[in-house]
Amino acid sequence: MIPLSRAFRSFCLHHRCLSSLMEVPFSKYEGAGNDFIVVDMTSRISTPLTSGQRLRMCNRKTGIGADGVLVLQQSELPGFTFKLLYYNADGQESSLCGNGSRCSLAFAEQIGLVDFDHAGSHVIKFEACDGSHLGGKMAGGQYFVDIRDVRISDVKRIDEMNYFLNTGSPHHVRFVEHLTQTDVPGIGKEIRWKTYGKEGSNVNFVQMSLQNPRQISVRTFERGVEDETLACGTGAVASAIAAYLRHQYDKKPIGCASSQDPMTTQVLMEGGTLEVAFKLQGNIFSDIRLRGPVRHVFEGNIVV
């Protein structure tokens, strides 16, 4: 047998690697600076992406760059427009993404899965990792998504400055006096593993407004990204609920969140402003709605 030359072996390996690559059409969206790669896999013949491919796509140096990947699939459930899968920038499947869900609605509109009317009266139902969600488009081009109910008994008050709750994703909420001076990546990395088992949690740093009790400023350290992101949807919801409860513990008036009158909190994040509305029915935060801007950045194809 004649041994293969080193050059020929290298050629074969290179050719084999090239033959295993595939070209993936994508769209890039951002919601208040939280950016995502969105891929349409509603066709049953679509080839699933691997964790390594998703990781390369999210790389800001050698890929497209994003906080995560959104994949739309066909839902097997009647009455659902699509099924949404969310993957962090590390390529791994994760829990609910609020801003990603809002961006997926805009993408579904772009590819013709839904035809939102501009009055915002048309609402669709989609499937996510934690079950059914409603979403839609509002006047002015903003998109909203409904978040599952949160029981007050499920909100852990660690101390007067720290809370923990799950709004589809686990969130540690820490109140601070000087948000701009807070070391979000450093402290966030420390807290991230302390309150939510082996998977860890996201960490939100919240500064209350002295002038407006219905306004908070938030910066978030996101797991899976392992760094600060410009916004976090489920983090905005968690922070708004924790802020409301903190006001109640301090016996400070903040407004009504009764079953008749929903309360809206304006959440100022590094990449933009989100709004969180909810009602308080007994000991349950219900009708939780996250709304805010969504922008189509660009689209193209990537070879991974």
Side-chain angles (χ1 to χ4, degrees), residues 161-221:
M161 304 300 287
N162 293 275
Y163 292 73
F164 178 81
L165 63 158
N166 194 311
T167 53
S169 284
H171 286 276
H172 185 115
V173 177
R174 170 170 288 189
F175 292 93
V176 297
E177 293 186 1
H178 304 289
L179 187 60
T180 58
Q181 300 174 22
T182 301
D183 179 11
V184 173
I187 302 173
K189 194 171 295 185
E190 293 177 7
I191 298 176
R192 180 234 197 282
W193 297 104
K194 290 186 176 180
T195 49
Y196 190 70
K198 64 179 182 179
E199 295 180 358
S201 71
N202 303 288
V203 185
N204 307 275
F205 298 87
V206 181
Q207 181 175 328
M208 313 283 275
S209 170
L210 297 177
Q211 292 77 32
N212 183 359
R214 293 191 178 190
Q215 183 182 91
I216 58 177
S217 298
V218 181
R219 294 173 64 188
T220 300
F221 178 92

Short mmCIF file of all heavy atoms in Angstrom, two decimals, residues 161-221:
data_model
loop_
_atom_site.label_atom_id
_atom_site.label_comp_id
_atom_site.label_asym_id
_atom_site.label_seq_id
_atom_site.Cartn_x
_atom_site.Cartn_y
_atom_site.Cartn_z
N MET A 161 -32.83 44.15 49.67
CA MET A 161 -32.19 44.56 48.43
C MET A 161 -32.16 43.46 47.37
O MET A 161 -31.80 43.72 46.23
CB MET A 161 -30.74 45.00 48.71
CG MET A 161 -30.61 46.10 49.75
SD MET A 161 -31.48 47.62 49.27
CE MET A 161 -30.40 48.24 47.99
N ASN A 162 -32.53 42.24 47.73
CA ASN A 162 -32.39 41.11 46.80
C ASN A 162 -33.65 40.25 46.76
O ASN A 162 -34.18 39.86 47.81
CB ASN A 162 -31.20 40.24 47.22
CG ASN A 162 -29.88 40.95 47.06
OD1 ASN A 162 -29.28 40.97 45.99
ND2 ASN A 162 -29.40 41.56 48.15
N TYR A 163 -34.08 39.95 45.54
CA TYR A 163 -35.26 39.12 45.31
C TYR A 163 -34.90 38.07 44.26
O TYR A 163 -33.97 38.24 43.47
CB TYR A 163 -36.43 39.96 44.79
CG TYR A 163 -37.00 40.93 45.80
CD1 TYR A 163 -36.30 42.09 46.17
CD2 TYR A 163 -38.24 40.71 46.39
CE1 TYR A 163 -36.82 42.99 47.08
CE2 TYR A 163 -38.77 41.61 47.31
CZ TYR A 163 -38.05 42.74 47.64
OH TYR A 163 -38.57 43.63 48.55
N PHE A 164 -35.69 37.00 44.25
CA PHE A 164 -35.52 35.99 43.21
C PHE A 164 -36.90 35.52 42.75
O PHE A 164 -37.79 35.23 43.56
CB PHE A 164 -34.72 34.78 43.72
CG PHE A 164 -34.58 33.71 42.67
CD1 PHE A 164 -33.61 33.81 41.69
CD2 PHE A 164 -35.44 32.63 42.65
CE1 PHE A 164 -33.49 32.85 40.70
CE2 PHE A 164 -35.34 31.66 41.66
CZ PHE A 164 -34.36 31.77 40.69
N LEU A 165 -37.11 35.44 41.43
CA LEU A 165 -38.36 34.95 40.88
C LEU A 165 -38.14 34.43 39.47
O LEU A 165 -37.13 34.71 38.84
CB LEU A 165 -39.44 36.04 40.89
CG LEU A 165 -39.22 37.29 40.03
CD1 LEU A 165 -40.59 37.95 39.74
CD2 LEU A 165 -38.33 38.30 40.73
N ASN A 166 -39.13 33.66 39.01
CA ASN A 166 -39.07 33.08 37.67
C ASN A 166 -40.18 33.67 36.83
O ASN A 166 -41.37 33.56 37.17
CB ASN A 166 -39.20 31.55 37.75
CG ASN A 166 -38.80 30.87 36.45
OD1 ASN A 166 -39.23 31.25 35.37
ND2 ASN A 166 -37.97 29.85 36.55
N THR A 167 -39.83 34.31 35.73
CA THR A 167 -40.81 34.90 34.81
C THR A 167 -40.71 34.22 33.44
O THR A 167 -40.81 34.87 32.40
CB THR A 167 -40.56 36.42 34.68
OG1 THR A 167 -39.18 36.64 34.33
CG2 THR A 167 -40.88 37.14 35.98
N GLY A 168 -40.53 32.90 33.48
CA GLY A 168 -40.26 32.14 32.26
C GLY A 168 -38.79 31.81 32.19
O GLY A 168 -38.37 30.81 31.61
N SER A 169 -37.97 32.67 32.76
CA SER A 169 -36.54 32.45 33.01
C SER A 169 -36.25 32.89 34.44
O SER A 169 -36.91 33.80 34.97
CB SER A 169 -35.67 33.27 32.04
OG SER A 169 -35.65 32.68 30.76
N PRO A 170 -35.27 32.27 35.10
CA PRO A 170 -34.97 32.62 36.49
C PRO A 170 -34.19 33.93 36.58
O PRO A 170 -33.26 34.15 35.82
CB PRO A 170 -34.12 31.43 36.96
CG PRO A 170 -33.46 30.93 35.71
CD PRO A 170 -34.44 31.15 34.60
N HIS A 171 -34.60 34.78 37.54
CA HIS A 171 -33.96 36.09 37.68
C HIS A 171 -33.70 36.44 39.14
O HIS A 171 -34.59 36.36 39.98
CB HIS A 171 -34.85 37.19 37.07
CG HIS A 171 -34.85 37.19 35.58
ND1 HIS A 171 -33.87 37.82 34.84
CD2 HIS A 171 -35.69 36.61 34.69
CE1 HIS A 171 -34.13 37.65 33.55
NE2 HIS A 171 -35.22 36.91 33.43
N HIS A 172 -32.46 36.82 39.40
CA HIS A 172 -32.10 37.46 40.66
C HIS A 172 -32.22 38.96 40.43
O HIS A 172 -31.68 39.49 39.45
CB HIS A 172 -30.67 37.08 41.06
CG HIS A 172 -30.26 37.61 42.40
ND1 HIS A 172 -29.99 36.78 43.47
CD2 HIS A 172 -30.08 38.87 42.86
CE1 HIS A 172 -29.65 37.51 44.52
NE2 HIS A 172 -29.71 38.78 44.17
N VAL A 173 -32.92 39.65 41.33
CA VAL A 173 -33.08 41.10 41.22
C VAL A 173 -32.41 41.76 42.42
O VAL A 173 -32.75 41.46 43.56
CB VAL A 173 -34.58 41.49 41.18
CG1 VAL A 173 -34.72 43.01 41.12
CG2 VAL A 173 -35.27 40.85 39.98
N ARG A 174 -31.44 42.61 42.14
CA ARG A 174 -30.75 43.34 43.20
C ARG A 174 -30.98 44.84 43.02
O ARG A 174 -30.71 45.39 41.94
CB ARG A 174 -29.26 43.05 43.22
CG ARG A 174 -28.46 43.96 44.16
CD ARG A 174 -27.02 43.51 44.34
NE ARG A 174 -26.95 42.31 45.16
CZ ARG A 174 -25.81 41.81 45.62
NH1 ARG A 174 -24.65 42.40 45.35
NH2 ARG A 174 -25.81 40.71 46.35
N PHE A 175 -31.45 45.51 44.07
CA PHE A 175 -31.66 46.95 44.02
C PHE A 175 -30.38 47.67 44.42
O PHE A 175 -29.71 47.28 45.38
CB PHE A 175 -32.82 47.36 44.94
CG PHE A 175 -34.15 46.86 44.44
CD1 PHE A 175 -34.66 45.65 44.89
CD2 PHE A 175 -34.87 47.58 43.50
CE1 PHE A 175 -35.88 45.17 44.42
CE2 PHE A 175 -36.08 47.11 43.02
CZ PHE A 175 -36.59 45.90 43.48
N VAL A 176 -30.03 48.69 43.64
CA VAL A 176 -28.80 49.45 43.88
C VAL A 176 -29.14 50.94 43.86
O VAL A 176 -30.16 51.36 43.31
CB VAL A 176 -27.73 49.14 42.82
CG1 VAL A 176 -27.32 47.68 42.88
CG2 VAL A 176 -28.22 49.50 41.42
N GLU A 177 -28.26 51.74 44.45
CA GLU A 177 -28.48 53.19 44.49
C GLU A 177 -27.85 53.89 43.29
O GLU A 177 -28.35 54.93 42.84
CB GLU A 177 -27.91 53.76 45.79
CG GLU A 177 -28.67 53.31 47.04
CD GLU A 177 -28.16 54.01 48.28
OE1 GLU A 177 -27.24 54.85 48.17
OE2 GLU A 177 -28.68 53.71 49.38
N HIS A 178 -26.75 53.34 42.79
CA HIS A 178 -26.04 53.99 41.69
C HIS A 178 -25.81 52.97 40.57
O HIS A 178 -24.78 52.29 40.54
CB HIS A 178 -24.72 54.58 42.18
CG HIS A 178 -24.88 55.53 43.33
ND1 HIS A 178 -25.44 56.77 43.19
CD2 HIS A 178 -24.56 55.40 44.65
CE1 HIS A 178 -25.46 57.39 44.36
NE2 HIS A 178 -24.93 56.57 45.27
N LEU A 179 -26.76 52.89 39.66
CA LEU A 179 -26.72 51.86 38.62
C LEU A 179 -25.53 52.04 37.69
O LEU A 179 -24.89 51.07 37.29
CB LEU A 179 -28.03 51.88 37.83
CG LEU A 179 -28.23 50.77 36.80
CD1 LEU A 179 -28.20 49.40 37.47
CD2 LEU A 179 -29.54 50.96 36.04
N THR A 180 -25.23 53.29 37.33
CA THR A 180 -24.15 53.53 36.37
C THR A 180 -22.78 53.15 36.94
O THR A 180 -21.85 52.87 36.18
CB THR A 180 -24.12 55.01 35.94
OG1 THR A 180 -23.97 55.84 37.10
CG2 THR A 180 -25.39 55.39 35.21
N GLN A 181 -22.66 53.10 38.25
CA GLN A 181 -21.39 52.77 38.88
C GLN A 181 -21.29 51.28 39.26
O GLN A 181 -20.28 50.85 39.82
CB GLN A 181 -21.19 53.62 40.14
CG GLN A 181 -21.18 55.12 39.86
CD GLN A 181 -21.13 55.95 41.13
OE1 GLN A 181 -20.71 55.49 42.19
NE2 GLN A 181 -21.58 57.20 41.03
N THR A 182 -22.32 50.51 38.94
CA THR A 182 -22.35 49.10 39.31
C THR A 182 -21.55 48.25 38.33
O THR A 182 -21.70 48.40 37.11
CB THR A 182 -23.81 48.60 39.35
OG1 THR A 182 -24.55 49.38 40.30
CG2 THR A 182 -23.87 47.13 39.77
N ASP A 183 -20.73 47.37 38.87
CA ASP A 183 -19.95 46.44 38.04
C ASP A 183 -20.84 45.25 37.67
O ASP A 183 -20.81 44.20 38.31
CB ASP A 183 -18.72 45.97 38.82
CG ASP A 183 -17.87 44.97 38.03
OD1 ASP A 183 -18.11 44.81 36.82
OD2 ASP A 183 -16.97 44.35 38.64
N VAL A 184 -21.66 45.45 36.64
CA VAL A 184 -22.64 44.43 36.26
C VAL A 184 -21.97 43.12 35.86
O VAL A 184 -22.36 42.05 36.34
CB VAL A 184 -23.55 44.96 35.14
CG1 VAL A 184 -24.46 43.85 34.61
CG2 VAL A 184 -24.39 46.12 35.66
N PRO A 185 -20.96 43.11 34.97
CA PRO A 185 -20.33 41.82 34.61
C PRO A 185 -19.67 41.13 35.80
O PRO A 185 -19.80 39.91 35.97
CB PRO A 185 -19.30 42.22 33.55
CG PRO A 185 -19.78 43.52 33.01
CD PRO A 185 -20.41 44.21 34.17
N GLY A 186 -18.97 41.89 36.63
CA GLY A 186 -18.24 41.29 37.74
C GLY A 186 -19.15 40.74 38.83
O GLY A 186 -19.05 39.57 39.22
N ILE A 187 -20.07 41.59 39.32
CA ILE A 187 -20.97 41.16 40.39
C ILE A 187 -21.98 40.15 39.85
O ILE A 187 -22.34 39.18 40.52
CB ILE A 187 -21.69 42.36 41.02
CG1 ILE A 187 -20.67 43.36 41.56
CG2 ILE A 187 -22.63 41.92 42.13
CD1 ILE A 187 -21.28 44.66 42.05
N GLY A 188 -22.43 40.38 38.61
CA GLY A 188 -23.39 39.45 38.01
C GLY A 188 -22.84 38.05 37.90
O GLY A 188 -23.54 37.07 38.15
N LYS A 189 -21.57 37.95 37.54
CA LYS A 189 -20.93 36.64 37.42
C LYS A 189 -20.88 35.92 38.77
O LYS A 189 -21.00 34.70 38.85
CB LYS A 189 -19.53 36.81 36.84
CG LYS A 189 -18.88 35.54 36.35
CD LYS A 189 -17.58 35.84 35.60
CE LYS A 189 -17.85 36.61 34.33
NZ LYS A 189 -16.62 36.83 33.52
N GLU A 190 -20.72 36.69 39.86
CA GLU A 190 -20.69 36.10 41.20
C GLU A 190 -22.06 35.61 41.64
O GLU A 190 -22.22 34.51 42.17
CB GLU A 190 -20.16 37.12 42.21
CG GLU A 190 -18.70 37.50 42.03
CD GLU A 190 -18.26 38.57 43.00
OE1 GLU A 190 -19.07 38.92 43.91
OE2 GLU A 190 -17.13 39.08 42.89
N ILE A 191 -23.08 36.44 41.42
CA ILE A 191 -24.44 36.12 41.89
C ILE A 191 -25.08 35.05 41.02
O ILE A 191 -25.89 34.24 41.50
CB ILE A 191 -25.33 37.38 41.87
CG1 ILE A 191 -24.76 38.43 42.83
CG2 ILE A 191 -26.76 37.06 42.24
CD1 ILE A 191 -25.52 39.74 42.79
N ARG A 192 -24.72 35.00 39.75
CA ARG A 192 -25.36 34.14 38.75
C ARG A 192 -25.59 32.70 39.20
O ARG A 192 -26.57 32.07 38.85
CB ARG A 192 -24.49 34.18 37.49
CG ARG A 192 -24.97 33.37 36.32
CD ARG A 192 -23.85 32.44 35.89
NE ARG A 192 -24.00 31.89 34.58
CZ ARG A 192 -24.82 30.88 34.26
NH1 ARG A 192 -25.61 30.36 35.14
NH2 ARG A 192 -24.85 30.41 33.02
N TRP A 193 -24.69 32.14 40.00
CA TRP A 193 -24.78 30.74 40.41
C TRP A 193 -25.36 30.54 41.81
O TRP A 193 -25.47 29.41 42.27
CB TRP A 193 -23.39 30.09 40.36
CG TRP A 193 -22.80 30.07 38.99
CD1 TRP A 193 -21.83 30.87 38.50
CD2 TRP A 193 -23.18 29.19 37.92
NE1 TRP A 193 -21.56 30.57 37.19
CE2 TRP A 193 -22.38 29.53 36.80
CE3 TRP A 193 -24.12 28.16 37.80
CZ2 TRP A 193 -22.48 28.87 35.58
CZ3 TRP A 193 -24.22 27.50 36.57
CH2 TRP A 193 -23.41 27.87 35.48
N LYS A 194 -25.74 31.60 42.49
CA LYS A 194 -26.06 31.47 43.91
C LYS A 194 -27.50 31.12 44.24
O LYS A 194 -27.78 30.61 45.32
CB LYS A 194 -25.69 32.77 44.64
CG LYS A 194 -24.18 32.99 44.73
CD LYS A 194 -23.86 34.20 45.58
CE LYS A 194 -22.35 34.35 45.74
NZ LYS A 194 -21.99 35.53 46.56
N THR A 195 -28.43 31.38 43.32
CA THR A 195 -29.84 31.24 43.71
C THR A 195 -30.69 30.31 42.84
O THR A 195 -31.88 30.22 43.05
CB THR A 195 -30.51 32.64 43.72
OG1 THR A 195 -30.21 33.30 42.49
CG2 THR A 195 -30.04 33.47 44.88
N TYR A 196 -30.11 29.66 41.87
CA TYR A 196 -30.95 28.83 41.00
C TYR A 196 -30.24 27.56 40.56
O TYR A 196 -30.00 27.34 39.39
CB TYR A 196 -31.42 29.63 39.77
CG TYR A 196 -32.49 28.92 38.97
CD1 TYR A 196 -33.77 28.77 39.46
CD2 TYR A 196 -32.20 28.42 37.71
CE1 TYR A 196 -34.76 28.13 38.72
CE2 TYR A 196 -33.18 27.78 36.95
CZ TYR A 196 -34.46 27.63 37.47
OH TYR A 196 -35.41 27.00 36.73
N GLY A 197 -29.90 26.71 41.50
CA GLY A 197 -29.41 25.38 41.18
C GLY A 197 -28.23 25.37 40.24
O GLY A 197 -27.46 26.32 40.13
N LYS A 198 -28.10 24.26 39.52
CA LYS A 198 -26.92 24.05 38.67
C LYS A 198 -26.92 24.90 37.41
O LYS A 198 -25.88 25.10 36.80
CB LYS A 198 -26.80 22.57 38.31
CG LYS A 198 -27.95 22.04 37.47
CD LYS A 198 -27.74 20.57 37.13
CE LYS A 198 -28.86 20.04 36.24
NZ LYS A 198 -28.66 18.63 35.89
N GLU A 199 -28.09 25.39 36.98
CA GLU A 199 -28.14 26.18 35.74
C GLU A 199 -27.89 27.66 35.99
O GLU A 199 -27.62 28.40 35.05
CB GLU A 199 -29.50 26.00 35.07
CG GLU A 199 -29.75 24.58 34.59
CD GLU A 199 -31.11 24.43 33.93
OE1 GLU A 199 -31.86 25.43 33.90
OE2 GLU A 199 -31.42 23.33 33.45
N GLY A 200 -27.97 28.08 37.23
CA GLY A 200 -27.76 29.48 37.54
C GLY A 200 -28.90 30.36 37.07
O GLY A 200 -29.91 29.88 36.53
N SER A 201 -28.78 31.67 37.26
CA SER A 201 -29.85 32.59 36.90
C SER A 201 -29.30 33.82 36.22
O SER A 201 -28.09 34.07 36.21
CB SER A 201 -30.63 33.02 38.16
OG SER A 201 -29.83 33.88 38.96
N ASN A 202 -30.19 34.60 35.64
CA ASN A 202 -29.85 35.93 35.17
C ASN A 202 -29.81 36.85 36.39
O ASN A 202 -30.44 36.57 37.41
CB ASN A 202 -30.89 36.42 34.17
CG ASN A 202 -31.06 35.48 33.00
OD1 ASN A 202 -30.20 35.39 32.14
ND2 ASN A 202 -32.17 34.76 32.94
N VAL A 203 -29.11 37.97 36.26
CA VAL A 203 -29.00 38.90 37.39
C VAL A 203 -29.34 40.30 36.91
O VAL A 203 -28.72 40.81 35.97
CB VAL A 203 -27.59 38.88 38.00
CG1 VAL A 203 -27.54 39.76 39.25
CG2 VAL A 203 -27.16 37.45 38.35
N ASN A 204 -30.32 40.92 37.57
CA ASN A 204 -30.76 42.26 37.21
C ASN A 204 -30.41 43.25 38.32
O ASN A 204 -30.66 42.98 39.50
CB ASN A 204 -32.27 42.29 36.99
CG ASN A 204 -32.72 41.24 36.01
OD1 ASN A 204 -32.69 41.46 34.81
ND2 ASN A 204 -33.14 40.09 36.51
N PHE A 205 -29.85 44.38 37.94
CA PHE A 205 -29.52 45.44 38.88
C PHE A 205 -30.49 46.59 38.62
O PHE A 205 -30.59 47.08 37.49
CB PHE A 205 -28.08 45.88 38.70
CG PHE A 205 -27.08 44.78 38.97
CD1 PHE A 205 -26.71 43.90 37.95
CD2 PHE A 205 -26.56 44.58 40.23
CE1 PHE A 205 -25.82 42.87 38.19
CE2 PHE A 205 -25.66 43.55 40.48
CZ PHE A 205 -25.29 42.69 39.46
N VAL A 206 -31.22 46.98 39.66
CA VAL A 206 -32.35 47.90 39.50
C VAL A 206 -32.17 49.14 40.35
O VAL A 206 -31.88 49.05 41.55
CB VAL A 206 -33.68 47.21 39.89
CG1 VAL A 206 -34.86 48.16 39.68
CG2 VAL A 206 -33.86 45.92 39.10
N GLN A 207 -32.37 50.30 39.72
CA GLN A 207 -32.39 51.57 40.45
C GLN A 207 -33.78 52.15 40.34
O GLN A 207 -34.31 52.33 39.25
CB GLN A 207 -31.35 52.54 39.89
CG GLN A 207 -31.30 53.87 40.63
CD GLN A 207 -30.19 54.77 40.12
OE1 GLN A 207 -29.15 54.31 39.68
NE2 GLN A 207 -30.41 56.08 40.16
N MET A 208 -34.38 52.46 41.49
CA MET A 208 -35.72 53.03 41.52
C MET A 208 -35.63 54.52 41.18
O MET A 208 -34.65 55.19 41.51
CB MET A 208 -36.34 52.87 42.91
CG MET A 208 -36.20 51.47 43.50
SD MET A 208 -37.35 50.29 42.82
CE MET A 208 -38.78 50.58 43.84
N SER A 209 -36.67 55.03 40.55
CA SER A 209 -36.75 56.45 40.25
C SER A 209 -37.28 57.20 41.47
O SER A 209 -38.28 56.80 42.07
CB SER A 209 -37.67 56.69 39.06
OG SER A 209 -37.93 58.07 38.89
N LEU A 210 -36.61 58.28 41.86
CA LEU A 210 -37.06 59.08 42.99
C LEU A 210 -38.27 59.93 42.61
O LEU A 210 -39.08 60.29 43.47
CB LEU A 210 -35.93 59.99 43.47
CG LEU A 210 -34.67 59.27 44.01
CD1 LEU A 210 -33.60 60.30 44.38
CD2 LEU A 210 -35.02 58.40 45.20
N GLN A 211 -38.39 60.25 41.32
CA GLN A 211 -39.48 61.11 40.88
C GLN A 211 -40.74 60.33 40.49
O GLN A 211 -41.86 60.80 40.66
CB GLN A 211 -39.04 61.96 39.68
CG GLN A 211 -37.99 63.02 39.99
CD GLN A 211 -36.59 62.43 40.13
OE1 GLN A 211 -36.28 61.43 39.48
NE2 GLN A 211 -35.78 63.03 40.97
N ASN A 212 -40.54 59.11 39.95
CA ASN A 212 -41.67 58.35 39.41
C ASN A 212 -41.62 56.91 39.91
O ASN A 212 -40.76 56.15 39.48
CB ASN A 212 -41.63 58.39 37.88
CG ASN A 212 -42.82 57.69 37.24
OD1 ASN A 212 -43.69 57.15 37.92
ND2 ASN A 212 -42.85 57.70 35.92
N PRO A 213 -42.52 56.51 40.81
CA PRO A 213 -42.50 55.14 41.34
C PRO A 213 -42.84 54.08 40.29
O PRO A 213 -42.64 52.89 40.53
CB PRO A 213 -43.56 55.17 42.44
CG PRO A 213 -44.48 56.28 42.05
CD PRO A 213 -43.62 57.30 41.38
N ARG A 214 -43.32 54.53 39.13
CA ARG A 214 -43.65 53.59 38.07
C ARG A 214 -42.55 53.53 37.01
O ARG A 214 -42.78 53.08 35.89
CB ARG A 214 -44.98 53.96 37.42
CG ARG A 214 -46.18 53.80 38.34
CD ARG A 214 -47.46 53.91 37.59
NE ARG A 214 -48.62 53.73 38.45
CZ ARG A 214 -49.85 53.58 38.01
NH1 ARG A 214 -50.09 53.60 36.70
NH2 ARG A 214 -50.86 53.42 38.83
N GLN A 215 -41.38 53.98 37.37
CA GLN A 215 -40.25 53.93 36.44
C GLN A 215 -39.03 53.37 37.16
O GLN A 215 -38.72 53.77 38.28
CB GLN A 215 -39.94 55.33 35.90
CG GLN A 215 -38.83 55.36 34.86
CD GLN A 215 -38.52 56.77 34.40
OE1 GLN A 215 -37.66 57.46 34.96
NE2 GLN A 215 -39.23 57.22 33.38
N ILE A 216 -38.35 52.43 36.52
CA ILE A 216 -37.12 51.86 37.06
C ILE A 216 -36.08 51.80 35.95
O ILE A 216 -36.41 51.76 34.76
CB ILE A 216 -37.34 50.44 37.64
CG1 ILE A 216 -37.91 49.49 36.58
CG2 ILE A 216 -38.21 50.49 38.87
CD1 ILE A 216 -38.09 48.05 37.05
N SER A 217 -34.81 51.82 36.35
CA SER A 217 -33.70 51.63 35.41
C SER A 217 -33.05 50.30 35.72
O SER A 217 -32.83 49.97 36.90
CB SER A 217 -32.68 52.77 35.55
OG SER A 217 -33.27 54.01 35.23
N VAL A 218 -32.74 49.52 34.68
CA VAL A 218 -32.28 48.14 34.88
C VAL A 218 -31.10 47.83 33.96
O VAL A 218 -31.09 48.21 32.79
CB VAL A 218 -33.41 47.12 34.59
CG1 VAL A 218 -32.92 45.69 34.81
CG2 VAL A 218 -34.63 47.41 35.47
N ARG A 219 -30.11 47.14 34.52
CA ARG A 219 -29.04 46.55 33.73
C ARG A 219 -28.99 45.06 34.07
O ARG A 219 -29.19 44.68 35.23
CB ARG A 219 -27.69 47.21 34.04
CG ARG A 219 -27.63 48.66 33.60
CD ARG A 219 -26.35 49.34 34.09
NE ARG A 219 -25.16 48.73 33.50
CZ ARG A 219 -23.92 49.04 33.89
NH1 ARG A 219 -23.73 49.92 34.87
NH2 ARG A 219 -22.87 48.46 33.31
N THR A 220 -28.74 44.22 33.06
CA THR A 220 -28.88 42.77 33.25
C THR A 220 -27.64 42.01 32.81
O THR A 220 -27.09 42.26 31.72
CB THR A 220 -30.10 42.24 32.46
OG1 THR A 220 -31.28 42.88 32.94
CG2 THR A 220 -30.25 40.73 32.65
N PHE A 221 -27.23 41.08 33.65
CA PHE A 221 -26.21 40.08 33.31
C PHE A 221 -26.95 38.82 32.91
O PHE A 221 -27.73 38.27 33.70
CB PHE A 221 -25.30 39.81 34.51
CG PHE A 221 -24.24 38.76 34.25
CD1 PHE A 221 -22.99 39.12 33.81
CD2 PHE A 221 -24.51 37.41 34.45
CE1 PHE A 221 -22.01 38.17 33.56
CE2 PHE A 221 -23.53 36.44 34.21
CZ PHE A 221 -22.28 36.83 33.77
#
